Amino acid sequence: MFQKAVRKRAKARIGICGPAGSGKTMSALKLAFGIVGPTGKIAVLDTENESASLYAHLGDYHVAVIKPPFTVEKYISGIREAEKLGYDLIIIDSLSHAWAGTGGILEFVDSRTESAKGNKFAGWREATPKHNSLVDAMLQSQMHVIATMRSKTEYVLVDDERGKKVPKKVGMAPIQREGMDFEFTLVFDVDQERHIATTSKDRTEIFDGFHGKLTEEHGSSIRAWLESGESAKNHAGTTQEQQPSGPKSITQDQVMELETKISEVGADRDKFLAYLGVNRLEDIPAERMTAALKALEAKTKKSDGTPGTVTDITAILAARRIPFKLDETNKEVYATPSYQDTASKEFLKTKGFKWSSSYKAWVIKMAA
């Protein structure tokens, strides 16, 4: 009956909570890119008026828009469709509409209560199984799942830098059924003012005491943790004699091949190793050599699409309406998006811009 406890490989189950404007969608996408890697496929169920498509500059992902009524059945159908199409990860943005949106669970309960002449228990008797079916669809999915949830908001008075009391908007409990956070492996709470995330639940122990902005690198760390568990096949009792023959790790020739490729494409070695969940190239499992090469090839393609001249980059900045200045002598471009324009700043990072406190601008030195 009892067996030794062994952590198995698993899929991500992540919740991201925060008030409107806190950056839940962008945070979810950044984690997603890190979790699936450069060759993974990401799907987004968008209930937020097609806002998920605003971050297309971050990378490739596909969006399916859910419009009112936000019934549980629509969510489940979207999850099933993404599974059928072979996506590796799905972002549900936002899960709160299934609870408190038009046609959501609370509205369903109200309609059933009215039909039952005020008997609210009759409404919940039907609503609870519907809600549970959505939870089951997420938990049993073969995809990684990231769900954003709006937080109930409240204004509190805080002291500003001059000691004056000013109102500040803060996020409270997520708008979902109480206890929903228990269903996730990780739950992040993101604040509206600085888009800083903290963890309210962390079974991975990676983010213990975490306080910062979520990035693709954090997603890579989550992926490494998920894949470090024992495979279900091994846990089921496959013996050493039953294991396929061949090298457990890549050969020295393959190590040299990867070394050369990393140098050629200018890949970040630490990020590459984190993506594969190893500390050294020599530790890469033999069966992951193909995935490693594909990741570096994807890096090559991504690099080829990066503008390399002053003309290229200024044309893109103008098209995106990002203010900039050009220093023709030094071949430097200074971009100055507004403080609130988070999307433009993230875009500039992807193009190689660096923040300069001296110039108070995002700067890149370009080829002639």
Side-chain angles (χ1 to χ4, degrees), residues 73-310:
E73 289 75 16
K74 285 185 178 181
Y75 280 81
I76 295 175
S77 176
I79 294 170
R80 297 284 183 255
E81 182 68 13
E83 289 174 332
K84 186 169 68 174
L85 294 174
Y87 287 96
D88 300 293
L89 182 148
I90 188 167
I91 297 173
I92 302 173
D93 185 36
S94 149
L95 191 59
S96 292
H97 289 86
W99 181 253
T102 302
I105 290 293
L106 294 183
E107 194 170 280
F108 176 84
V109 170
D110 288 342
S111 66
R112 287 295 188 269
T113 300
E114 186 176 345
S115 301
K117 299 180 180 180
N119 183 357
K120 206 159 192 173
F121 291 105
W124 281 111
R125 189 163 54 242
E126 292 184 63
T128 296
K130 290 170 74 70
H131 172 78
N132 290 344
S133 66
L134 174 56
V135 174
D136 289 342
M138 292 191 298
L139 296 183
Q140 295 172 13
S141 175
Q142 293 304 304
M143 302 179 292
H144 301 287
V145 178
I146 301 177
T148 69
M149 290 171 278
R150 292 182 178 182
S151 293
K152 299 173 185 176
T153 54
E154 182 176 303
Y155 286 90
V156 297
L157 290 176
V158 298
D159 292 328
D160 64 10
E161 61 274 8
R162 294 173 295 179
K164 183 180 178 181
K165 294 288 185 182
V166 294
K168 179 182 178 182
K169 189 177 184 181
V170 295
M172 308 299 283
I175 300 176
Q176 247 297 332
R177 189 164 195 169
E178 185 177 355
M180 187 66 169
D181 55 325
F182 295 133
E183 310 295 348
F184 297 100
T185 306
L186 271 164
V187 178
F188 294 100
D189 296 304
V190 188
D191 76 14
Q192 185 190 45
E193 187 175 344
R194 294 180 298 159
H195 313 301
I196 297 295
T198 56
T199 48
S200 57
K201 178 181 181 180
D202 178 17
R203 289 175 176 167
T204 70
E205 298 184 342
I206 297 173
F207 298 92
D208 186 26
F210 177 75
H211 183 83
K213 292 185 178 181
L214 294 172
T215 66
E216 189 171 329
E217 286 71 29
H218 293 130
S220 297
S221 297
I222 293 170
R223 177 192 179 101
W225 182 85
L226 292 167
E227 294 186 346
S228 66
E230 187 172 313
S231 69
K233 183 177 179 180
N234 287 344
H235 183 63
T238 304
T239 64
Q240 185 66 34
E241 289 74 16
Q242 293 172 312
Q243 297 293 334
S245 60
K248 293 182 179 179
S249 301
I250 59 174
T251 65
Q252 193 58 40
D253 287 342
Q254 290 174 319
V255 170
M256 294 303 297
E257 182 181 359
L258 291 176
E259 289 277 16
T260 302
K261 197 71 175 176
I262 289 171
S263 178
E264 286 177 355
V265 305
D268 185 310
R269 186 188 184 88
D270 291 337
K271 290 182 182 178
F272 178 66
L273 293 173
Y275 162 65
L276 293 168
V278 297
N279 295 319
R280 306 178 306 154
L281 292 176
E282 290 83 353
D283 297 333
I284 296 174
E287 65 269 17
R288 299 212 64 197
M289 179 63 182
T290 301
L293 286 173
K294 284 184 178 180
L296 292 173
E297 287 168 5
K299 170 72 176 176
T300 304
K301 293 176 182 177
K302 185 175 180 181
S303 298
D304 290 344
T306 302
T309 67
V310 171

Side-chain angles (χ1 to χ4, degrees), residues 61-82:
Y61 56 94
H62 295 164
V63 179
V65 176
I66 297 180
K67 295 185 177 181
F70 300 109
T71 63
V72 163
E73 289 75 16
K74 285 185 178 181
Y75 280 81
I76 295 175
S77 176
I79 294 170
R80 297 284 183 255
E81 182 68 13

